[in-house]
Amino acid sequence: MDQTTYSAATLQVLPRLAELNSQLAQQPPVEILRWLRSEQLPGLVQFSSFGVSGMVIMDLLHQGSLKVPVVFIDTLHHFPETLALGPRAQSKYGTAIHYYRPRGLATRQEFEQAHGTELWVHNSELYHELTKVEPTERALEELGVQAWLTGRRRTQGGERSDLEVLEVDADGRLKINLLAHWSFEDVQLYVALNGVPYNPLLDRGYKSIGDVQFTAPVAAGEGEREGRWLGQARTECGMHSKNRPRRRTSTSTSTSTSTSSTAVSTSAATIIRSNNNNSN
């Protein structure tokens, strides 16, 4: 029997979920954000790894005058270029960014002292649990998250190929995939026309950027995420996996010592024109 505990945000839209997804699939992101504002969903945050899609969402939120805090899962194995985007985003958008790291650790050196070198080689599942899954679960609980914005898109393939704009996560929270129906080219165009900060590794062929040891440039004609998960038999880290465990009961807030620094595809050109016509 399904004993999932649904979040308040999920319960708010659940009776209309199929109808809303049918409607929102035809809408550009600025219209989805307008719907989001009207719904006033409780406990809304954006999870972002400072990828190009996530940076576009930050810009869209800023242009729409929507204040949504951002959660960044710092695995302690990111590229320096990725980490440098945090201060740039805070400066440009005034966004509150919460950094969550492996529990009790602050540097890669500390991680290796605690778990050995190249843990991902010896125990891939444990590595992803420690660096991504557990910090994500901790952030969700400590920040009281009821709904979260993601930058996932259908054209990224794999488990993402049939994404809807709205989905109920395995733990009962609501996910809003704002750019679900956008292509990589749509995202690139928006970045170029709006001066969105982005990772300079993109200019070197890195279309999807994660931990250093799992990320490589992609060749012309290769899929956007072909350069991810080198040597790993996986396509997701666990944060967004369909196999994430469900919340069976209400859970209490956990204590952490490593939380935050502050507590259809519609073309991008059409979205930009719509945004410029409707921004205040």
Side-chain angles (χ1 to χ4, degrees):
M1 183 173 65
D2 185 358
Q3 298 177 355
T4 301
T5 301
Y6 294 111
S7 72
T10 299
L11 290 172
Q12 186 170 321
V13 304
L14 194 59
R16 301 171 287 147
L17 190 64
E19 178 185 359
L20 285 170
N21 272 324
S22 178
Q23 294 171 355
L24 296 175
Q26 312 297 323
Q27 300 298 322
V30 289
E31 293 300 327
I32 298 173
L33 287 179
R34 185 171 286 108
W35 168 83
L36 198 59
R37 182 192 292 277
S38 70
E39 285 287 332
Q40 297 185 335
L41 295 174
L44 178 65
V45 305
Q46 177 191 356
F47 270 73
S48 176
S49 60
F50 301 152
V52 65
S53 295
M55 299 304 294
V56 164
I57 291 174
M58 284 189 214
D59 192 86
L60 285 163
L61 289 168
H62 178 72
Q63 293 200 39
S65 299
L66 284 167
K67 294 291 186 182
V68 177
V70 171
V71 177
F72 176 78
I73 304 300
D74 182 359
T75 66
L76 306 178
H77 295 76
H78 284 292
F79 287 92
E81 293 89 341
T82 300
L83 297 174
L85 280 169
R88 291 179 64 191
Q90 281 185 304
S91 175
K92 183 176 179 67
Y93 303 124
T95 303
I97 302 179
H98 299 263
Y99 292 82
Y100 275 75
R101 302 179 178 91
R103 186 181 292 277
L105 304 174
T107 67
R108 179 167 179 167
Q109 290 71 26
E110 290 181 6
F111 186 89
E112 291 180 350
Q113 289 171 3
H115 302 290
T117 58
E118 298 187 345
L119 175 63
W120 59 88
V121 174
H122 310 295
N123 192 332
S124 175
E125 290 305 315
L126 179 59
Y127 173 81
H128 291 290
E129 172 67 26
L130 292 170
T131 60
K132 297 166 186 172
V133 177
E134 190 281 329
T136 297
E137 295 296 333
R138 185 159 24 100
L140 290 168
E141 292 299 325
E142 290 186 355
L143 299 176
V145 176
Q146 305 293 313
W148 42 317
L149 286 157
T150 90
R152 297 177 302 154
R153 293 178 284 102
R154 288 187 170 202
T155 59
Q156 291 171 324
E159 288 187 5
R160 306 181 180 198
S161 60
D162 58 353
L163 276 178
E164 300 286 0
V165 173
L166 304 177
E167 64 174 324
V168 179
D169 198 26
D171 68 357
R173 292 181 174 90
L174 184 69
K175 281 183 178 175
I176 302 101
N177 304 307
L178 188 64
L179 307 181
H181 296 279
W182 265 21
S183 68
F184 183 72
E185 291 71 26
D186 289 328
V187 173
Q188 282 185 305
L189 180 58
Y190 185 95
V191 167
L193 294 180
N194 288 271
V196 177
Y198 68 93
N199 196 320
L201 293 174
L202 284 168
D203 295 331
R204 293 160 50 186
Y206 292 80
K207 287 188 174 182
S208 180
I209 303 167
D211 289 351
V212 173
Q213 69 272 16
F214 299 137
T215 308
V218 297
E222 285 188 322
E224 184 178 338
R225 287 170 63 84
E226 290 296 319
R228 290 291 296 277
W229 311 117
L230 297 177
Q232 301 279 300
R234 64 193 311 132
T235 60
E236 297 286 348
C237 66
M239 288 175 60
H240 296 295
S241 174
K242 293 179 179 178
N243 297 318
R244 275 182 63 219
R246 296 177 176 224
R247 289 186 298 165
R248 295 297 180 181
T249 59
S250 297
T251 54
S252 61
T253 300
S254 62
T255 302
S256 171
T257 59
S258 58
T259 53
S260 64
S261 64
T262 61
V264 179
S265 173
T266 308
S267 74
T270 302
I271 278 73
I272 293 159
R273 286 196 296 272
S274 177
N275 193 42
N276 289 339
N277 290 336
N278 291 291
S279 297
N280 294 321

